[in-house]
Amino acid sequence: MTKNKLLELFENHKGEYLSGEAIAQSLGLSRTAIWKNINLLREEGYDIESTKKKGYTLNTNSDILSKMKLQQFLDKSFPIDHVEMHKVVDSTNKRALASYVTKEKNWIVVASEEQEKGEAKEEASFYSPQGKGVYMSVVIDLNSPMDAMDTIIKQNSEAVRVVIREITQVDTEIGEDNNLYYNNRKLSGIMTQMYIEAESKTIKSMIVGIGIYVHGADEKAIALTEITGEYCNRSELIARVLNKLYAYYGR
């Protein structure tokens, strides 16, 4: 698709100016087609600037959830067609469960730019304003024994902790509630909901709900960019977290 190819080119040269001639030669497009597809990307929220004699550039801080960007970092064997990306949902957990029940597929993933009723532990809400964080849920089939429950819950938190460290070099601690903290301030919430078959005492499946404060956080929490002072791409975070979980449960 022309628009996706253009976005990929901009992503690969983020912050650099590309002339209309350079884009035309790279993608084999007419100037009219370039202009048309740039406008389509702008309508989706991408911050593309244009300057005379320089051309076009994708702002380095432009961070729209992108399936194409996700695929750049996602394990090639991961079922990408099971990934849903939304502008807004009530709760990624609820949407993921509904999709799982409807489609009956493993590894359903729901990510959203915003949650109207983001869920946290003990029926608390999770701060989920538009474009400020990672809000994602993953449904995974397990068929694991009950005595593995504590290990699985800790493993989910460890997956997020390791990814954050790999991408940003930020070291976090896993709290007693299995959320992640930086200097005693919450950076990420990880909530694992399990579905158990009583007769066999088996964990049949789980929903892992993950929220990461990336570009903004509420008063008692802290965001990644506040710690590092640097840009962090949310689609890459999502992809790398999925890779960790897939390494644990998908083989």
Side-chain angles (χ1 to χ4, degrees):
M1 189 175 178
T2 301
K3 183 182 67 174
N4 290 340
K5 289 181 179 179
L6 183 59
L7 178 58
E8 184 176 6
L9 183 66
F10 278 129
E11 287 279 9
N12 290 336
H13 296 273
K14 205 166 196 177
E16 302 175 26
Y17 277 94
L18 299 173
S19 68
E21 182 180 357
I23 296 171
Q25 289 179 350
S26 178
L27 300 181
L29 298 175
S30 67
R31 295 295 182 93
T32 301
I34 292 169
W35 177 81
K36 178 182 177 181
N37 283 281
I38 283 174
N39 283 340
L40 290 174
L41 290 171
R42 284 170 170 163
E43 287 173 6
E44 291 182 11
Y46 290 96
D47 185 6
I48 299 172
E49 297 178 5
S50 59
T51 303
K52 285 185 177 180
K53 297 183 179 180
K54 286 187 176 182
Y56 304 94
T57 182
L58 178 62
N59 193 300
T60 54
N61 293 322
S62 180
D63 189 15
I64 304 297
L65 291 185
S66 164
K67 211 170 200 181
M68 187 205 69
K69 187 72 173 179
L70 190 83
Q71 286 183 282
Q72 290 182 14
F73 299 97
L74 196 61
D75 188 302
K76 299 304 180 186
S77 62
F78 192 93
I80 187 68
D81 59 316
H82 295 189
V83 178
E84 301 177 16
M85 287 190 168
H86 300 274
K87 293 294 184 184
V88 59
V89 295
D90 53 351
S91 156
T92 59
N93 272 21
K94 290 179 179 177
R95 182 63 66 94
L97 178 58
S99 292
Y100 179 68
V101 170
T102 302
K103 299 176 182 177
E104 296 184 347
K105 291 181 178 180
N106 192 17
W107 290 97
I108 292 287
V109 179
V110 173
S112 183
E113 293 280 1
E114 179 184 357
Q115 292 185 109
E116 294 177 325
K117 297 179 181 179
E119 298 177 83
K121 298 179 182 74
E122 298 179 353
E123 299 184 356
S125 61
F126 189 86
Y127 181 73
S128 309
Q130 184 177 19
K132 296 297 184 181
V134 163
Y135 321 124
M136 62 180 286
S137 297
V138 193
V139 188
I140 306 170
D141 288 336
L142 288 177
N143 292 313
S144 298
M146 288 281 289
D147 58 12
M149 183 179 294
D150 289 343
T151 299
I152 291 170
I153 291 171
K154 287 291 184 184
Q155 196 164 248
N156 295 340
S157 297
E158 181 66 10
V160 181
R161 190 186 74 83
V162 169
V163 167
I164 289 174
R165 185 180 61 199
E166 288 176 348
I167 293 177
T168 67
Q169 288 74 58
V170 171
D171 279 314
T172 60
E173 295 183 355
I174 300 175
E176 292 183 0
D177 56 3
N178 296 301
N179 294 327
L180 301 185
Y181 293 85
Y182 179 85
N183 288 346
N184 297 316
R185 295 173 68 184
K186 185 176 177 180
L187 177 65
S188 174
I190 301 102
M191 183 171 69
T192 303
Q193 296 176 317
M194 295 185 175
Y195 297 88
I196 297 166
E197 186 178 82
E199 290 184 359
S200 64
K201 296 182 180 178
T202 300
I203 304 168
K204 301 300 291 182
S205 61
M206 68 176 173
I207 299 180
V208 187
I210 298 166
I212 305 172
Y213 300 123
V214 181
H215 304 304
D218 58 19
E219 292 181 0
K220 296 179 181 179
I222 192 167
L224 277 173
T225 52
E226 185 180 346
I227 300 168
T228 65
E230 297 178 355
Y231 167 77
C232 182
N233 186 273
R234 293 177 298 143
S235 297
E236 180 181 356
L237 274 169
I238 291 170
R240 294 198 185 277
V241 168
L242 289 175
N243 288 344
K244 288 292 181 187
L245 295 175
Y246 199 56
Y248 292 158
Y249 309 115
R251 306 304 183 190

